[in-house]
Amino acid sequence: MDEQPSEDENDAERGEQHLVLQSAEQFKALGHPVRHRMVNALRQRPATLRQLAEALGMSKGTIGYHVRVLREAGMVRLAETRQVRGGTEQYFALVSRSFKFHPDAKAGAQFLINAALDEMLPPEPGQATHTVLRHLWLTRAEAEAMEVRLRAMADEPAPTDPASGEAYGLLVSLFRADVPSLPPDEGN
């Protein structure tokens, strides 16, 4: 049986580095809806406080506070400074475009589900949307094969330019479900 490359090996081949989330400070920083939205905005490109304030519809002071919290949690860095009209403009960027959970992190799936629920907008007429919960009865080998297929689908490159369309979220989860199994029907 061929051994599949690990997720970390696949990421390294693509030159991607994940920020591994483990500390309570990181989860607290990402757990606030404003900071979560800010991280999603910064996935597009580095931005100034003014640009973030405009995108999020908030004051620069409020945005400055939330950027500071993200910086202290090690998730945002000062990317560059530019001189403009007698002042200095600071551009902030994510330390990594992608995050992953440390194996010992307790937040994991629940954190992602809550984040997805916070992001979900009600669908507009004719808009593509689909959410479903389905239970499958799989052998361990079938579950592992499904995981490989789901990872490949989730890892497909997607446009990151906001001018090319609207933002959609993709939450993919394959999990062992707590669904009881009925005993065989003795009447048949």
Side-chain angles (χ1 to χ4, degrees), residues 65-146:
Y65 166 77
H66 288 293
V67 165
R68 187 174 73 244
V69 171
L70 288 168
R71 285 183 78 183
E72 289 171 358
M75 303 173 88
V76 168
R77 64 180 172 79
L78 178 62
E80 68 177 291
T81 59
R82 292 184 190 165
Q83 294 299 323
V84 292
R85 288 173 264 161
T88 303
E89 196 169 56
Q90 297 179 324
Y91 282 79
F92 297 94
L94 296 175
V95 296
S96 173
R97 287 181 57 127
S98 61
F99 306 144
K100 71 186 242 181
F101 296 108
H102 187 276
D104 295 336
K106 294 182 172 126
Q110 185 68 42
F111 187 86
L112 290 173
I113 291 166
N114 289 339
L117 288 172
D118 287 344
E119 288 180 18
M120 283 185 190
L121 296 172
E124 295 175 0
Q127 185 179 35
T129 182
H130 185 73
T131 302
V132 65
L133 173 61
R134 181 174 174 202
H135 294 103
L136 309 170
W137 300 93
L138 304 171
T139 65
R140 185 170 298 265
E142 291 168 332
E144 289 170 359
M146 173 83 63

Side-chain angles (χ1 to χ4, degrees), residues 5-186:
S6 73
E7 182 180 351
D8 292 332
E9 290 168 347
N10 287 334
D11 294 338
E13 288 173 15
R14 290 190 298 262
E16 296 176 20
Q17 294 294 322
H18 296 287
L19 173 62
V20 178
L21 302 178
Q22 182 176 13
S23 74
E25 184 178 39
Q26 290 170 321
F27 287 110
K28 183 177 179 184
L30 271 180
H32 192 284
V34 169
R35 292 188 289 268
H36 180 85
R37 292 185 72 219
M38 190 178 295
V39 165
N40 286 335
L42 288 172
R43 281 197 170 107
Q44 298 167 42
R45 63 174 174 77
T48 65
L49 294 179
R50 180 189 55 76
Q51 291 168 335
L52 288 168
E54 186 177 318
L56 297 170
M58 305 181 102
S59 73
K60 276 179 59 176
T62 300
I63 294 300
Y65 166 77
H66 288 293
V67 165
R68 187 174 73 244
V69 171
L70 288 168
R71 285 183 78 183
E72 289 171 358
M75 303 173 88
V76 168
R77 64 180 172 79
L78 178 62
E80 68 177 291
T81 59
R82 292 184 190 165
Q83 294 299 323
V84 292
R85 288 173 264 161
T88 303
E89 196 169 56
Q90 297 179 324
Y91 282 79
F92 297 94
L94 296 175
V95 296
S96 173
R97 287 181 57 127
S98 61
F99 306 144
K100 71 186 242 181
F101 296 108
H102 187 276
D104 295 336
K106 294 182 172 126
Q110 185 68 42
F111 187 86
L112 290 173
I113 291 166
N114 289 339
L117 288 172
D118 287 344
E119 288 180 18
M120 283 185 190
L121 296 172
E124 295 175 0
Q127 185 179 35
T129 182
H130 185 73
T131 302
V132 65
L133 173 61
R134 181 174 174 202
H135 294 103
L136 309 170
W137 300 93
L138 304 171
T139 65
R140 185 170 298 265
E142 291 168 332
E144 289 170 359
M146 173 83 63
E147 178 185 15
V148 169
R149 289 182 12 225
L150 292 173
R151 273 191 202 283
M153 182 183 69
D155 288 342
E156 288 177 9
T160 57
D161 178 12
S164 68
E166 296 179 271
Y168 282 82
L170 176 65
L171 176 65
V172 178
S173 181
L174 180 66
F175 56 93
R176 284 189 49 237
D178 185 11
V179 176
S181 295
L182 291 173
D185 188 359
E186 295 177 16

